[in-house]
């Protein structure tokens, strides 16, 4: 039997020791879960080990093929540019090494379930979700596409769950910042707000989100504000990373199937799973008289 490709986890990096150790512990847990795979992980910046060292470790263990999975929620500059560049450099450094590159985690339904749990932990059990406004706070990027993905996550979290609303803010590089996001929630009439960090692990930025939230809450005593925890090394995250690994190994890098109502039972849309798709017409289109099929097959 041929040996499966190794798994390389690419992390963002943080100046926060606890956050960096959470990543390293997560990589160790992945290795325990899949003892048949050589597993290593490294960072793009800020904390050890660097990604190149993780690749060198795999090579020392006899690895010739690996699949790299970016442990990132959105596809920003790191996932789009820095990691591919680093991997290309390692390929030159280690002749004969081949790899495939997986996609970032994205707002996968299993992670939305974890976010829902984090919200449930943060709120008073007596609260009606219809009275709760959620502020989902992303890292923030100079890449508009990456920021748009956080809005997509917010919308998917809102769908079918009954919250008054899910607003979006960013902790760095993009507007609105956390205080502006909280102001917006208040202007929309929110009396109960839960600030939900869209981060995998603890770190400097999630800590900043919590601090800014506490400062805003102290200045607005009429609004009840709670802070939820980060996603953390949950079983769903382990499963999703291995799913991204398997996709990369198979070369099965699908488009937007993760949150497709015809593939996945999303809250309130469960009856759509597996429905055959027929071409249909858009009566409001400007004179187009052709059928328009949905963007991907649902026969899987």
């Amino acid at each position: 039997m041929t040996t499966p490709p190794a798994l390389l986890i690419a992390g963002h990096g943080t100046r926060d020791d606890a956050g960096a150790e959470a990543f390293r512990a997560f990589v160790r847990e992945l290795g325990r879960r899949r003892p048949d795979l050589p597993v290593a992980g490294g960072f793009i910046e800020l904390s050890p080990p660097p990604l190149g060292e993780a690749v060198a470790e795999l090579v020392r263990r006899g690895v010739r093929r690996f699949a790299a999975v970016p442990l990132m929620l959105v596809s920003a500059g790191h996932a789009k540019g820095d990691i591919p560049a680093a991997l290309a450099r390692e390929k030159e450094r280690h002749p004969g090494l081949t790899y495939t590159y997986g996609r970032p985690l994205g707002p996968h339904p299993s992670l939305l379930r974890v976010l829902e749990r984090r919200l449930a932990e943060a709120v008073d059990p007596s609260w009606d979700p219809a009275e709760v406004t959620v502020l989902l706070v992303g890292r923030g990027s100079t890449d508009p596409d990456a920021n748009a993905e956080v809005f997509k996550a917010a919308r998917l979290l809102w769908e079918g769950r009954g919250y008054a609303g899910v607003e979006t803010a960013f902790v760095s590089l993009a507007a609105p910042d956390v205080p502006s996001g909280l102001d917006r929630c208040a202007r929309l009439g929110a009396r109960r707000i839960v600030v939900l960090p869209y981060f995998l692990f603890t770190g400097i930025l999630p800590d900043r989100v919590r601090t800014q939230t506490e400062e805003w809450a102290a200045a607005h005593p009429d609004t009840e504000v709670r802070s939820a925890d980060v996603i953390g090394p949950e079983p769903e995250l382990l499963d999703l990373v291995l799913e991204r690994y398997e996709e990369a190994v198979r070369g099965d890098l699908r488009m937007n199937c993760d949150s497709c109502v015809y593939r996945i039972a999303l809250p309130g849309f469960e009856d759509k799973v597996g429905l055959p798709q027929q071409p249909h017409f858009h009566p409001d289109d400007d004179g187009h008289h052709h059928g328009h099929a949905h963007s991907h097959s649902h026969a899987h």
Side-chain angles (χ1 to χ4, degrees), residues 108-256:
H108 191 278
S110 61
L111 293 188
L112 295 173
R113 282 197 300 275
V114 179
L115 291 173
E116 203 173 1
R117 274 209 305 279
R118 295 291 175 255
L119 287 172
E121 292 159 5
V123 302
D124 189 302
S126 66
W127 289 5
D128 178 352
E131 297 175 349
V132 175
T133 299
V134 178
L135 182 64
L136 185 72
V137 181
R139 175 179 292 274
S141 171
T142 53
D143 182 341
D145 180 42
N147 296 331
E149 286 192 44
V150 181
F151 277 80
K152 179 177 181 179
R155 179 69 198 195
L156 286 169
L157 186 62
W158 180 81
E159 288 278 358
R161 290 181 175 84
Y163 298 112
V166 181
E167 296 299 313
T168 309
F170 300 96
V171 74
S172 66
L173 298 175
D177 60 14
V178 174
S180 301
L182 286 162
D183 287 343
R184 175 177 166 80
C185 292
R187 284 201 301 274
L188 290 168
R191 287 284 167 264
R192 288 172 169 164
I193 304 170
V194 180
V195 176
L196 178 62
Y198 194 45
F199 284 82
L200 293 174
F201 301 128
T202 55
I204 304 266
L205 294 181
D207 286 349
R208 190 178 299 163
V209 174
R210 190 173 283 263
T211 302
Q212 291 178 353
T213 299
E214 289 167 357
E215 288 169 354
W216 189 92
H220 299 78
D222 292 342
T223 308
E224 195 155 5
V225 186
R226 303 274 179 98
S227 284
D229 284 334
V230 294
I231 290 169
E234 294 293 286
E236 288 93 339
L237 182 58
L238 288 156
D239 289 342
L240 178 54
V241 168
L242 291 171
E243 187 178 317
R244 291 285 182 259
Y245 164 80
E246 297 291 350
E247 284 175 0
V249 169
R250 292 193 310 266
D252 174 28
L253 299 180
R254 296 189 304 268
M255 44 173 300
N256 59 334

Side-chain angles (χ1 to χ4, degrees), residues 2-24:
T2 55
T3 312
L7 169 57
L8 175 70
I9 304 295
H12 186 287
T14 172
R15 289 188 182 86
D16 181 76
D17 291 340
E21 181 49 38
F23 171 89
R24 292 188 289 262

